[in-house]
């Protein structure tokens, strides 16, 4: 895979940009260090970071508590090598030359698991996916 810049870039997108996409970007930063450029945005951004999302990332040494949800732009997509849409609800108009993939993440609440335990399972699912994507992007 060829990249648009000197290293691969990934844009993580969910609807509100307050939970899963922010978690994915934080986890990719931790996994990849400076080998991958990451960003996150929302198709209809909310006003704040999900508190439980921030809490479960602190447990693994990542602080997203000061991040601010933001609207995705065409420029964000043009600059990204890969746009990852988290969940079925996030929708974007695709930009030519950018690879898109959708991650339908684990939803523990479907199994009656809520609160912090739910968010830990979501975090771990996203971490597994981020780790696999990082390997794909950095193995040549």
């Amino acid at each position: 895979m060829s990249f648009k810049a000197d290293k691969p870039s990934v844009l993580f997108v969910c609807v509100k940009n307050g939970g899963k996409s922010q978690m994915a970007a934080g986890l990719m930063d931790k996994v990849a260090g400076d080998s991958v450029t990451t960003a996150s945005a929302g198709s209809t951004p909310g006003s704040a970071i999900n508190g439980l999302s921030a809490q479960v990332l602190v447990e693994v040494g990542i602080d997203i508590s000061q991040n601010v949800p933001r609207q995705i732009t065409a420029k964000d997509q043009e600059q990204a090598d890969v746009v990852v849409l988290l969940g079925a609800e996030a929708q974007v108009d695709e930009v030519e030359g950018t690879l898109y993939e959708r991650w339908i993440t684990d939803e523990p609440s479907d199994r009656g698991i809520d609160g912090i335990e739910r968010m830990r399972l979501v975090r771990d699912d996203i971490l597994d996916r981020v780790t696999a994507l990082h390997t794909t992007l950095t193995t040549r």
Side-chain angles (χ1 to χ4, degrees):
M1 176 180 205
S2 62
F3 304 116
K4 297 175 183 177
D6 60 337
K7 60 184 173 181
S9 63
V10 180
L11 173 64
F12 295 99
V13 179
C14 66
V15 175
K16 294 183 181 180
N17 190 226
K20 292 178 181 179
S21 60
Q22 292 276 355
M23 292 172 72
L27 289 163
M28 180 63 87
D29 285 342
K30 182 170 178 99
V31 167
D34 65 356
S35 67
V36 175
T37 301
T38 62
S40 71
S43 55
T44 309
S47 59
I49 298 298
N50 177 297
L52 289 176
S53 295
Q55 185 177 341
V56 298
L57 286 188
V58 165
E59 294 174 355
V60 296
I62 301 166
D63 183 5
I64 63 166
S65 64
Q66 300 304 308
N67 293 7
V68 177
R70 67 181 191 83
Q71 177 72 45
I72 188 173
T73 66
K75 184 177 180 180
D76 291 333
Q77 294 177 78
E78 290 166 1
Q79 292 177 336
D81 294 300
V82 179
V83 173
V84 176
L85 302 163
L86 288 102
E89 299 82 20
Q91 301 297 323
V92 299
D93 293 327
E94 293 187 8
V95 172
E96 189 174 331
T98 299
L99 176 66
Y100 289 80
E101 56 184 75
R102 184 174 300 276
W103 294 353
I104 304 298
T105 56
D106 181 31
E107 190 40 71
S109 61
D110 293 343
R111 301 186 306 275
I113 302 169
D114 290 310
I116 194 75
E117 289 304 317
R118 171 189 173 265
M119 201 58 70
R120 286 180 180 131
L121 292 168
V122 170
R123 175 200 62 204
D124 294 347
D125 180 33
I126 293 172
L127 176 58
D128 289 345
R129 293 166 186 264
V130 160
T131 302
L133 178 59
H134 176 254
T135 299
T136 299
L137 292 173
T138 57
T139 303
R140 295 184 188 215

